[in-house]
Amino acid sequence: GPSLAAKMSPKISMVCLPSSKAAPLVIFDVKAMIYDLLSDLELTKHQNMIFNQEGNNPFHVGDDDSFGDFETSTYYTQTMKALNINTRQEVLCPLVLYIDEIKLDSFGKLGLEPVVMSLMIYNRSTRNLSKAWRVIGYMPNFGSMFGSKSYSADQKAEDYHFCMSKIIDGIRGIQQNRNGYSWTFSLTANNGDTTTHERKMFFPLAYIIGDAKGNDLLCGRYGSHHGTRCIRRDCDALTEHCDD
């Protein structure tokens, strides 16, 4: 209702960047966005999630020798063991972020870079839906605000990481709660019967989806199209052999 709408509204503030410049930063409440996703019964239903039914436990994660959806990944299975997750009482709900800039003008100078989040308890077909994602912040457009002549690549990288840190502060806050967050799932079976299941939820940050340019900036690499030995970071094919 109104209280959730107020929590989900964007918060805009001017931040002082490491480069000594100031920029407006738009941030959303991560807790409110997670609450909104889990509350959507069209999203949070058993057929949309990665779990298997075992008896009266709809959150069972079965052992599988082959990779399928996210619950079969090495990350998920090892994190389940590391946190000693008991699926009859707890649910491991990793977060995934997607970051990619879109250009708003024909010259590629004006861009919009939202940071969006989804829950990895949803299966792949559900994660492919736009309604399964929520915006948690917008990166400032440093290029259009500060230009390029007096604004170095080092300054942009430092300012970018500073703003990203502010945007994911909400995720850090959630992770500081070692006891998890209580949630009551309301699940409807194929026969129409509805059952409720109380679980403690944990929200580690699993991974970030992005393109090569954005990922270079995230991991502290310089983007360059000149004099590069290979065609991309994850391939050892030499640029000089690309016409073969």
Side-chain angles (χ1 to χ4, degrees):
S3 61
L4 180 60
K7 288 181 178 293
M8 292 182 64
S9 62
K11 305 298 187 295
I12 306 174
S13 60
M14 292 296 295
V15 294
C16 183
L17 302 172
S19 64
S20 299
K21 301 179 185 296
L25 186 61
V26 180
I27 298 177
F28 295 81
D29 189 322
V30 171
K31 284 185 180 180
M33 295 304 176
I34 293 176
Y35 187 95
D36 186 52
L37 286 169
L38 292 174
S39 299
D40 189 341
L41 298 184
E42 287 300 312
L43 276 177
T44 311
K45 52 186 178 181
H46 192 261
Q47 54 265 46
N48 288 349
M49 295 194 288
I50 61 177
F51 307 108
N52 304 311
Q53 181 84 31
E54 184 186 58
N56 62 348
N57 179 19
F59 300 97
H60 175 68
V61 179
D63 295 328
D64 200 328
D65 294 333
S66 59
F67 289 130
D69 208 332
F70 190 70
E71 81 281 1
T72 65
S73 66
T74 303
Y75 167 85
Y76 195 83
T77 54
Q78 289 187 354
T79 306
M80 288 273 290
K81 293 178 181 178
L83 298 180
N84 196 26
I85 296 293
N86 178 0
T87 59
R88 292 191 175 276
Q89 300 174 352
E90 301 158 332
V91 169
L92 181 65
C93 181
L95 305 177
V96 55
L97 301 183
Y98 174 75
I99 307 172
D100 192 14
E101 184 183 26
I102 58 174
K103 296 301 181 182
L104 303 179
D105 66 323
S106 57
F107 298 101
K109 298 297 183 183
L110 296 177
L112 181 68
E113 190 170 359
V115 181
V116 295
M117 176 191 69
S118 187
L119 310 180
M120 293 305 298
I121 59 171
Y122 299 136
N123 57 31
R124 180 177 299 176
S125 59
T126 304
R127 298 195 306 270
N128 285 339
L129 302 175
S130 59
K131 66 179 181 180
W133 295 81
R134 296 292 185 273
V135 178
I136 64 170
Y138 289 97
M139 294 298 298
N141 192 329
F142 301 118
S144 64
M145 288 189 296
F146 307 139
S148 57
K149 291 184 178 180
S150 61
Y151 193 56
S152 68
D154 282 339
Q155 288 176 315
K156 179 181 179 181
E158 196 170 5
D159 289 349
Y160 186 93
H161 278 258
F162 177 84
C163 291
M164 185 62 66
S165 178
K166 294 289 185 182
I167 290 174
I168 65 173
D169 259 345
I171 297 178
R172 271 196 291 269
I174 289 174
Q175 293 173 348
Q176 288 174 359
N177 181 3
R178 304 294 183 180
N179 297 321
Y181 290 84
S182 298
W183 187 263
T184 301
F185 290 88
S186 180
L187 304 179
T188 303
N190 293 331
N191 60 5
D193 294 340
T194 299
T195 56
T196 58
H197 308 268
E198 293 186 4
R199 294 293 189 275
K200 285 288 187 69
M201 300 192 70
F202 298 88
F203 301 95
L205 177 58
Y207 66 101
I208 300 173
I209 306 171
D211 61 2
K213 179 182 178 182
N215 288 342
D216 277 338
L217 188 56
L218 276 178
C219 66
R221 295 168 62 103
Y222 288 104
S224 174
H225 301 282
H226 305 285
T228 53
R229 182 173 179 271
C230 299
I231 59 174
R232 51 187 296 140
R233 73 162 71 78
D234 52 0
C235 179
D236 60 0
L238 298 178
T239 304
E240 61 191 62
H241 296 160
C242 285
D243 60 343
D244 185 353

